[in-house]
Amino acid sequence: MPRKPTLAQVAALAGVSKMTASRALRDAGDVSASARDKVQAAAQTLGYVGDRVATALSAKTTNLIGVVVPSLSNIVFAQVLAGISDGIADSGLQPVFGITGYDSDTEAALLRDMLSWRPAGLIVTGLDQPDATRALLRQAGVPVVQIMDIDGDPVDGCVGISHDAAGADMARALLAAGRRRIGYVGAHLAHDTRAAKRLAGFRAALADAGTALVASRLTGAPSSVASGRDLTATLLSHHPDLDCIYYSNDDMAIGGLFHCQSAGLDVPGQLMIAGFNGLDLVESLPVGIATTVTPRHEIGRRAAQMIAAAAPAVSLARVSLTPRIVLPGQTPRNRPLGGTRS
Amino acid sequence: MPRKPTLAQVAALAGVSKMTASRALRDAGDVSASARDKVQAAAQTLGYVGDRVATALSAKTTNLIGVVVPSLSNIVFAQVLAGISDGIADSGLQPVFGITGYDSDTEAALLRDMLSWRPAGLIVTGLDQPDATRALLRQAGVPVVQIMDIDGDPVDGCVGISHDAAGADMARALLAAGRRRIGYVGAHLAHDTRAAKRLAGFRAALADAGTALVASRLTGAPSSVASGRDLTATLLSHHPDLDCIYYSNDDMAIGGLFHCQSAGLDVPGQLMIAGFNGLDLVESLPVGIATTVTPRHEIGRRAAQMIAAAAPAVSLARVSLTPRIVLPGQTPRNRPLGGTRS
DNA sequence: AATGGTACCGATACCGGTATCGATACCAAT
DNA sequence: ATTGGTATCGATACCGGTATCGGTACCATT
């Protein structure tokens, strides 16, 4: 079985040295037109494809950029990945994805593994890694961008939104819309620290207004439409007088809406439903729900650009983006810049 | 700035040769207990992490398994990826993902790039790559598993379902449920060849029953809830007497359902809606829609296992899995094995 | 004491590229 | 003819590991 052709074979066929062949194929200088043509012809006939592993070993770095996200079952991260692809367009970088499943041990192992491939940079979700992981990232010697969240202390650069402020802003918006008996339905708060921050901000803003959550239902399982539906059913059976429910995200909120539709409740008249993320799906729903539209694509794009632009050992900036709130029956508007608590 | 410690430095600190240090850290034989301890201690104090690039160059292969999917905005592929993670658990393999955006040039570039990293195997979506890409895969010298589809000619192994049969089966199921005036709404058929195969099978089964689609609406854009909703609105405005619509997938179908809810149509009484995939979301909908539940997780798992088990240069099997059809108000049942057309 | 076997270790040669720097050829300027 | 400069090329030395194979020690046999 014919082994993969190597640069040496291409060079031999072209009648030049390995070095000249290497230069010709990379468009580096110092190669005559005739030599270049011969090398390219030889590479063509042999079907030569370069070996990145060898190049990486020689060049001491790769064109890989490691991307670590907690999950892909939430479409949000898929859109972040799309943004990353956009951000590195024609920079020659190549993203490599890893999924942690919201588990910090998995995350640490994944990062270690990625670092052993000498990536050109790392994009990591969230700011709340354990200390050992933070140390790993700091020592790595590659640019690190943490995404989604800015409420905390980044290892290097970060780009995202303030979830604390997002929760507080939603609380104020719902109060301003006249809602007073507000409940909460959430999932996975022990692992999804950003959802927890939103809830904290939401609660704080309610307290500032002299009120509080009437009731809440939580599950330790990952968020899903199904659990949103179930938890809403039990919450409403105990507290039928709620006029608003805030959910940990849109998936849960949509599940809540589906329960209300099945139960014949008037949404948003009788009960307002508020989620988080601003999924495309939300715009197509037959009835309006409130949500916070987050710039997911933009987050990915900016993060990737930061990596692409990072000269080695340059420290990166903190980029804060602003989400906007949408309430039912209302054209999207810009979010008023509420006070940031953190 | 202190450079990354190398094996040579570890060996020096431990007072042994590079080779002994290498053996000690890999648990290869021929190392005394005392030497092993010294090396491990040295590695510990230096914070040594191996360099996969160097190992890969030396060992002529990697633990990487390249996975190419068309999109992640469809949750389906996220679930396939989860299945892949399951399938390679504790095999030491590491998946690397690439997204083609349903573009065959991007796909070819991606595959070329992945191959230049000498992966241990490749998992590619679909069977309908252009000839040049097929040639690339065949020559690659690594095990290739094509997933999702089995209607065609695999390069090596494949695991998936027959989309042609799935479409035909749904047509028969809808006819058996008494539907006669059937329309179709689809997206992206030029790129999503599997959706096109389902439609072909669907049409053929209708023809076998002596009937045909009443009307259809197509878009070249990727499938989405929003376009499902819009296309349904226009289709029904021209053909208000339809009693069933088949969609290219569940996302489109859910959009259709949302239109019907807004328009006050009785679903499924007046109009039955049929999608494809069996998304979790479908089970939580307030009204029932028909769908074909596909074994996405299983497809990913099996594909990964095939790669993990593939001795070099072993040819792989074709694995055909069966989806099942669910109709509204009906408990899930196994799909009767309809005749396969291809 | 000579022989053989086992356990452990290290020098050396790669893997497939690229950086570096010194050669060579050729033409223009002096 | 000599000098200097430019364009082109190739020999060599790595990059950081691992495979291979030939030592060396040391103990058990004969």
Side-chain angles (χ1 to χ4, degrees), chain B residues 11 29-30 40 57 77 110 112 121 134-135 141 160 167 201 216 221 223 226 282 319 336:
Chain B
D30 282 1
Q40 284 173 346
L57 181 59
F77 289 107
L110 208 47
R112 211 178 301 275
R134 290 177 65 84
S216 65
S223 66
V282 167
V319 174

Side-chain angles (χ1 to χ4, degrees), chain B residues 52-245:
Chain B
R52 300 262 181 160
V53 177
T55 303
L57 181 59
S58 181
K60 306 229 262 183
T61 183
T62 64
N63 66 334
L64 266 28
I65 145 172
V67 181
V68 177
V69 297
S71 152
L72 284 181
S73 48
N74 199 323
I75 325 87
V76 165
F77 289 107
Q79 295 172 328
V80 172
L81 299 187
I84 290 175
S85 295
D86 265 22
I88 59 172
D90 66 34
S91 76
L93 261 31
Q94 167 81 29
V96 175
F97 307 125
I99 320 271
T100 68
Y102 288 99
D103 177 70
S104 47
D105 289 339
T106 305
E107 181 179 50
L110 208 47
L111 286 170
R112 211 178 301 275
D113 199 274
M114 283 181 163
L115 284 174
S116 74
W117 282 103
R118 310 187 195 175
L122 240 32
I123 296 179
V124 188
T125 303
L127 292 172
D128 306 295
Q129 287 78 20
D131 286 343
T133 303
R134 290 177 65 84
L136 187 68
L137 291 175
R138 210 174 349 250
Q139 293 168 2
V142 304
V144 176
V145 176
Q146 288 164 289
I147 56 171
M148 306 313 279
D149 194 1
I150 60 166
D151 298 325
D153 188 27
V155 167
D156 197 355
C158 73
V159 40
I161 69 168
S162 167
H163 289 261
D164 188 272
D169 286 343
M170 180 57 86
R172 285 190 282 269
L174 295 175
L175 290 171
R179 304 294 160 157
R180 288 296 175 270
R181 302 192 48 78
I182 304 180
Y184 178 82
V185 167
H188 226 215
L189 295 191
H191 294 102
D192 186 344
T193 59
R194 289 170 293 288
K197 288 174 182 176
R198 291 194 292 276
L199 174 56
F202 192 86
R203 284 199 139 109
L206 289 186
D208 283 352
T211 174
L213 283 180
V214 173
S216 65
R217 285 293 181 281
L218 304 176
T219 172
S223 66
S224 69
V225 175
S227 75
R229 180 169 181 159
D230 293 345
L231 292 180
T232 301
T234 67
L235 178 61
L236 287 178
S237 72
H238 290 79
H239 301 274
D241 57 341
L242 292 177
D243 63 6
C244 181
I245 302 180

Side-chain angles (χ1 to χ4, degrees), chain A residues 3 50-53 57 60 62 72 78 81 97 113 116-118 225-226 229 258 261-262 281 284-286, chain B residues 3 50-53 56-57 60 72 78 81 97 110 113 116-118 225-226 229 258 261-262 281 284-286:
Chain A
R3 203 178 305 258
D51 185 328
R52 299 264 181 160
V53 177
L57 181 59
K60 304 229 261 181
T62 64
L72 283 180
L81 298 187
F97 308 125
D113 199 274
S116 74
W117 282 103
R118 308 187 194 174
V225 175
R229 180 170 180 157
F258 288 167
Q261 289 187 313
S262 293
L281 174 56
S284 298
L285 288 172
Chain B
R3 202 178 304 259
D51 185 327
R52 300 262 181 160
V53 177
L57 181 59
K60 306 229 262 183
L72 284 181
L81 299 187
F97 307 125
L110 208 47
D113 199 274
S116 74
W117 282 103
R118 310 187 195 175
V225 175
R229 180 169 181 159
F258 288 167
Q261 289 186 312
S262 293
L281 173 56
S284 298
L285 287 171

Side-chain angles (χ1 to χ4, degrees), chain A residues 135-159:
Chain A
L136 187 69
L137 291 175
R138 211 176 346 251
Q139 293 168 3
V142 304
V144 175
V145 176
Q146 287 165 291
I147 56 171
M148 306 314 279
D149 193 1
I150 60 167
D151 298 325
D153 187 29
V155 167
D156 197 355
C158 74
V159 40

